[in-house]
Amino acid sequence: MHYRIIFSVFLFLFLSSCNLSYFKKDLSQILGVEKKELKNIQNFNEISGIQGEGYILEIYTLSEKAIQAFKNNPIRNLPDKQEEGKEWHKYNWSTFPIDSSYNEVFNMCLNYSGSSKRLKVKLNEIKRLIEKEGVYYSFYYRPDKEHPQNVELFILDVQNRKLYAIDQQL
């Protein structure tokens, strides 16, 4: 009985010490703002398979200072994504509507059919959001835009100071 309690305490401590933010370390470069101006408020993760197939949605709030820095930056380019053995392509920050030649990239991320009802609600919110003014998007994808296997999509709502970061892997 005591072993179970001790094991449970160690397991809890281990899991609570894990970094649950997939994107946090890269977002300051992606947005061109300081890390302290970002706060992770929600995570949704559905990982399956031995090769890491799955879906991640992280939602961040940004300070007013970060929003102004982003809006005032005339060059809104994503940094190049370097990952050994993988060739990533990028689409720099832009406003909606979506460039129709990238529909598959968006369909892959926004039409995810996972098991979480909360995630489905958030995805529907994002779909409604991208129809509004003042919303920016950018993304990384590979191997190509017609048949993406991996996408990292970023949607920035400047009015509500929220960033939605999505990673989808097939």
Side-chain angles (χ1 to χ4, degrees), residues 38-50:
L38 299 160
K39 181 181 177 188
N40 185 309
I41 58 171
Q42 249 179 331
N43 292 331
F44 297 89
N45 299 313
E46 290 192 4
I47 307 298
S48 63
I50 57 176

PDB file of all heavy atoms in Angstrom, residues 38-50:
ATOM      1  N   LEU A  38       4.290  36.445 -23.761  1.00  0.00           N
ATOM      2  CA  LEU A  38       3.397  35.335 -24.132  1.00  0.00           C
ATOM      3  C   LEU A  38       3.021  34.530 -22.900  1.00  0.00           C
ATOM      4  O   LEU A  38       3.875  34.231 -22.067  1.00  0.00           O
ATOM      5  CB  LEU A  38       4.101  34.388 -25.096  1.00  0.00           C
ATOM      6  CG  LEU A  38       4.564  34.947 -26.421  1.00  0.00           C
ATOM      7  CD1 LEU A  38       5.638  34.061 -27.014  1.00  0.00           C
ATOM      8  CD2 LEU A  38       3.396  35.056 -27.361  1.00  0.00           C
ATOM      9  N   LYS A  39       1.759  34.132 -22.805  1.00  0.00           N
ATOM     10  CA  LYS A  39       1.336  33.283 -21.697  1.00  0.00           C
ATOM     11  C   LYS A  39       0.466  32.165 -22.239  1.00  0.00           C
ATOM     12  O   LYS A  39      -0.560  32.403 -22.875  1.00  0.00           O
ATOM     13  CB  LYS A  39       0.552  34.102 -20.674  1.00  0.00           C
ATOM     14  CG  LYS A  39       0.102  33.289 -19.493  1.00  0.00           C
ATOM     15  CD  LYS A  39      -0.682  34.124 -18.509  1.00  0.00           C
ATOM     16  CE  LYS A  39      -1.166  33.234 -17.376  1.00  0.00           C
ATOM     17  NZ  LYS A  39      -2.086  33.938 -16.498  1.00  0.00           N
ATOM     18  N   ASN A  40       0.884  30.925 -22.000  1.00  0.00           N
ATOM     19  CA  ASN A  40       0.122  29.756 -22.438  1.00  0.00           C
ATOM     20  C   ASN A  40      -1.111  29.622 -21.556  1.00  0.00           C
ATOM     21  O   ASN A  40      -1.002  29.575 -20.338  1.00  0.00           O
ATOM     22  CB  ASN A  40       0.996  28.505 -22.331  1.00  0.00           C
ATOM     23  CG  ASN A  40       0.314  27.281 -22.885  1.00  0.00           C
ATOM     24  OD1 ASN A  40      -0.814  26.983 -22.537  1.00  0.00           O
ATOM     25  ND2 ASN A  40       0.994  26.559 -23.736  1.00  0.00           N
ATOM     26  N   ILE A  41      -2.296  29.563 -22.179  1.00  0.00           N
ATOM     27  CA  ILE A  41      -3.513  29.458 -21.381  1.00  0.00           C
ATOM     28  C   ILE A  41      -4.268  28.143 -21.581  1.00  0.00           C
ATOM     29  O   ILE A  41      -5.070  27.780 -20.741  1.00  0.00           O
ATOM     30  CB  ILE A  41      -4.463  30.656 -21.626  1.00  0.00           C
ATOM     31  CG1 ILE A  41      -4.849  30.790 -23.090  1.00  0.00           C
ATOM     32  CG2 ILE A  41      -3.859  31.929 -21.074  1.00  0.00           C
ATOM     33  CD1 ILE A  41      -5.941  31.798 -23.357  1.00  0.00           C
ATOM     34  N   GLN A  42      -4.022  27.444 -22.693  1.00  0.00           N
ATOM     35  CA  GLN A  42      -4.720  26.181 -22.933  1.00  0.00           C
ATOM     36  C   GLN A  42      -3.923  25.281 -23.863  1.00  0.00           C
ATOM     37  O   GLN A  42      -3.309  25.767 -24.804  1.00  0.00           O
ATOM     38  CB  GLN A  42      -6.086  26.443 -23.584  1.00  0.00           C
ATOM     39  CG  GLN A  42      -7.234  26.141 -22.686  1.00  0.00           C
ATOM     40  CD  GLN A  42      -8.562  26.438 -23.355  1.00  0.00           C
ATOM     41  OE1 GLN A  42      -8.689  27.290 -24.204  1.00  0.00           O
ATOM     42  NE2 GLN A  42      -9.564  25.705 -22.939  1.00  0.00           N
ATOM     43  N   ASN A  43      -3.962  23.974 -23.579  1.00  0.00           N
ATOM     44  CA  ASN A  43      -3.312  22.970 -24.421  1.00  0.00           C
ATOM     45  C   ASN A  43      -4.290  21.843 -24.727  1.00  0.00           C
ATOM     46  O   ASN A  43      -5.027  21.408 -23.850  1.00  0.00           O
ATOM     47  CB  ASN A  43      -2.105  22.335 -23.707  1.00  0.00           C
ATOM     48  CG  ASN A  43      -0.972  23.295 -23.510  1.00  0.00           C
ATOM     49  OD1 ASN A  43      -0.792  24.215 -24.279  1.00  0.00           O
ATOM     50  ND2 ASN A  43      -0.205  23.086 -22.451  1.00  0.00           N
ATOM     51  N   PHE A  44      -4.264  21.381 -25.966  1.00  0.00           N
ATOM     52  CA  PHE A  44      -5.010  20.197 -26.374  1.00  0.00           C
ATOM     53  C   PHE A  44      -4.017  19.307 -27.112  1.00  0.00           C
ATOM     54  O   PHE A  44      -3.401  19.747 -28.077  1.00  0.00           O
ATOM     55  CB  PHE A  44      -6.148  20.562 -27.334  1.00  0.00           C
ATOM     56  CG  PHE A  44      -7.184  21.463 -26.727  1.00  0.00           C
ATOM     57  CD1 PHE A  44      -7.054  22.837 -26.792  1.00  0.00           C
ATOM     58  CD2 PHE A  44      -8.291  20.927 -26.088  1.00  0.00           C
ATOM     59  CE1 PHE A  44      -8.006  23.671 -26.240  1.00  0.00           C
ATOM     60  CE2 PHE A  44      -9.252  21.759 -25.536  1.00  0.00           C
ATOM     61  CZ  PHE A  44      -9.108  23.134 -25.607  1.00  0.00           C
ATOM     62  N   ASN A  45      -3.859  18.065 -26.655  1.00  0.00           N
ATOM     63  CA  ASN A  45      -2.917  17.134 -27.280  1.00  0.00           C
ATOM     64  C   ASN A  45      -3.606  15.808 -27.534  1.00  0.00           C
ATOM     65  O   ASN A  45      -4.227  15.253 -26.641  1.00  0.00           O
ATOM     66  CB  ASN A  45      -1.714  16.866 -26.367  1.00  0.00           C
ATOM     67  CG  ASN A  45      -0.931  18.109 -26.064  1.00  0.00           C
ATOM     68  OD1 ASN A  45      -0.629  18.878 -26.958  1.00  0.00           O
ATOM     69  ND2 ASN A  45      -0.608  18.318 -24.799  1.00  0.00           N
ATOM     70  N   GLU A  46      -3.459  15.313 -28.748  1.00  0.00           N
ATOM     71  CA  GLU A  46      -3.908  13.966 -29.080  1.00  0.00           C
ATOM     72  C   GLU A  46      -2.788  13.324 -29.886  1.00  0.00           C
ATOM     73  O   GLU A  46      -2.642  13.597 -31.064  1.00  0.00           O
ATOM     74  CB  GLU A  46      -5.213  13.992 -29.873  1.00  0.00           C
ATOM     75  CG  GLU A  46      -6.392  14.435 -29.048  1.00  0.00           C
ATOM     76  CD  GLU A  46      -7.732  14.188 -29.717  1.00  0.00           C
ATOM     77  OE1 GLU A  46      -7.763  13.597 -30.813  1.00  0.00           O
ATOM     78  OE2 GLU A  46      -8.742  14.577 -29.124  1.00  0.00           O
ATOM     79  N   ILE A  47      -1.998  12.516 -29.206  1.00  0.00           N
ATOM     80  CA  ILE A  47      -0.847  11.860 -29.839  1.00  0.00           C
ATOM     81  C   ILE A  47      -1.150  10.371 -29.929  1.00  0.00           C
ATOM     82  O   ILE A  47      -1.627   9.767 -28.981  1.00  0.00           O
ATOM     83  CB  ILE A  47       0.448  12.079 -29.026  1.00  0.00           C
ATOM     84  CG1 ILE A  47       0.679  13.567 -28.770  1.00  0.00           C
ATOM     85  CG2 ILE A  47       1.630  11.435 -29.710  1.00  0.00           C
ATOM     86  CD1 ILE A  47       0.871  14.406 -30.008  1.00  0.00           C
ATOM     87  N   SER A  48      -0.854   9.790 -31.092  1.00  0.00           N
ATOM     88  CA  SER A  48      -1.078   8.350 -31.261  1.00  0.00           C
ATOM     89  C   SER A  48      -0.014   7.781 -32.175  1.00  0.00           C
ATOM     90  O   SER A  48       0.631   8.507 -32.911  1.00  0.00           O
ATOM     91  CB  SER A  48      -2.469   8.096 -31.851  1.00  0.00           C
ATOM     92  OG  SER A  48      -2.556   8.662 -33.140  1.00  0.00           O
ATOM     93  N   GLY A  49       0.155   6.506 -32.109  1.00  0.00           N
ATOM     94  CA  GLY A  49       1.100   5.835 -32.989  1.00  0.00           C
ATOM     95  C   GLY A  49       2.525   5.952 -32.493  1.00  0.00           C
ATOM     96  O   GLY A  49       2.869   6.814 -31.706  1.00  0.00           O
ATOM     97  N   ILE A  50       3.378   5.081 -32.982  1.00  0.00           N
ATOM     98  CA  ILE A  50       4.756   5.060 -32.520  1.00  0.00           C
ATOM     99  C   ILE A  50       5.619   6.114 -33.197  1.00  0.00           C
ATOM    100  O   ILE A  50       6.700   6.416 -32.742  1.00  0.00           O
ATOM    101  CB  ILE A  50       5.384   3.658 -32.705  1.00  0.00           C
ATOM    102  CG1 ILE A  50       5.298   3.219 -34.159  1.00  0.00           C
ATOM    103  CG2 ILE A  50       4.735   2.653 -31.795  1.00  0.00           C
ATOM    104  CD1 ILE A  50       5.966   1.901 -34.456  1.00  0.00           C
TER     105      ILE A  50
END
